[in-house]
Amino acid sequence: MKASLRIGAVLLFLVGCTRTPAPLPPTPEGMVLIPAGAALVGSDDPDTDEERQPRHSVMLPGFFIDRTEVTNAEFARFRPAHTFDLSQAKLPATGITYDEAEAYAKWAGKRLPTEDEWEKAARGTDGRVFPWGNTWDKTKVAPRAPKPTQKLACGKPSRVRIVGSVPAGTSPYGCQDMAGNAWEWVQGYANGNREQRIIKGGAVGYSERGCRTYERGIEGAKAT
């Protein structure tokens, strides 16, 4: 059973991205360019989801991806009913279903990244285990806030941090919070099951394993 199920609710999502034809236009504000080329994705770890084994190389076209997770303030522009305290404006938007994440991305003129795209943005081209390298360092992920910062859609407390609050954990391309803080939706179905969606990146309070770039969580398509 995947660790993401221990919290009973998916926190999230992080990024929107869009493919563009060559030559690429100027990088949109708030996004980073992931250049076209090869990247190592997946893992030889026997405990990794079978669909992500073995570690292998993929060729991807260039694309843009958001530098940070989508905030409450940004998501509320799309869905005014997404209410929060003003002090929570810069926290990542949580309690979001996959369909809502997909709709937001479309509204913003973007789309959710594929799992391979997300991994390349998180781990660069050298197949690193964490965005910063191959050695676990808990100081490079967002620690659990000492008090709940907001309530999830399920009513449970969230202890996420302001997006981009741990710059030491930035990925090779400049993406932040790709290990810890909030789980992030990506395109695709887990193991071909249309009732299961894929989440990436771990969340506050998760162990070293959950924060590995190649690790995935699995949640129901309607989970939040």
Side-chain angles (χ1 to χ4, degrees):
M1 183 173 294
K2 290 293 180 181
S4 64
L5 300 181
R6 288 185 297 172
I7 58 173
V10 180
L11 298 181
L12 31 112
F13 71 106
L14 148 110
V15 290
C17 65
T18 180
R19 295 179 191 232
T20 53
L24 290 169
T27 302
E29 183 178 358
M31 304 188 85
V32 298
L33 169 64
I34 311 300
L40 289 172
V41 299
S43 172
D44 294 321
D45 188 329
D47 292 333
T48 301
D49 190 286
E50 290 184 0
E51 287 195 337
R52 302 309 287 166
Q53 295 181 31
R55 191 173 80 156
H56 57 285
S57 178
V58 296
M59 291 294 297
L60 295 173
F63 62 96
F64 298 116
I65 192 166
D66 286 357
R67 185 183 302 278
T68 66
E69 295 162 321
V70 174
T71 65
N72 282 321
E74 291 167 334
F75 192 78
R77 293 175 56 222
F78 161 68
R79 192 178 75 183
H82 180 74
T83 57
F84 52 90
D85 186 272
L86 290 179
S87 65
Q88 302 168 352
K90 294 183 179 181
L91 295 178
T94 60
I96 310 299
T97 68
Y98 180 90
D99 287 345
E100 290 171 332
E102 193 171 52
Y104 169 83
K106 183 176 181 179
W107 170 84
K110 304 176 183 179
R111 62 171 174 79
L112 296 177
T114 66
E115 189 167 11
D116 284 348
E117 288 171 338
W118 190 97
E119 283 194 30
K120 182 174 181 180
R123 68 197 303 190
T125 59
D126 57 6
R128 58 186 59 188
V129 177
F130 305 102
W132 56 84
N134 293 316
T135 302
W136 171 245
D137 185 342
K138 65 180 182 180
T139 68
K140 294 183 178 179
V141 299
R144 287 169 60 87
K147 295 182 179 180
T149 51
Q150 63 186 63
K151 286 187 177 180
L152 300 176
C154 64
K156 292 186 177 183
S158 170
R159 295 180 182 272
V160 294
R161 298 281 188 160
I162 291 174
V163 301
S165 59
V166 189
T170 300
S171 82
Y173 293 111
C175 296
Q176 298 181 309
D177 296 320
M178 299 197 86
N181 211 26
W183 285 103
E184 301 163 9
W185 292 111
V186 296
Q187 288 187 39
Y189 300 103
N191 307 310
N193 186 337
R194 297 184 67 86
E195 296 303 314
Q196 294 183 328
R197 290 290 189 175
I198 302 164
I199 53 178
K200 301 286 287 185
V204 288
Y206 270 69
S207 68
E208 168 265 353
R209 181 167 191 80
C211 294
R212 294 176 184 178
T213 52
Y214 55 78
E215 191 62 35
R216 56 158 49 164
I218 298 175
E219 278 291 354
K222 302 301 181 183
T224 61

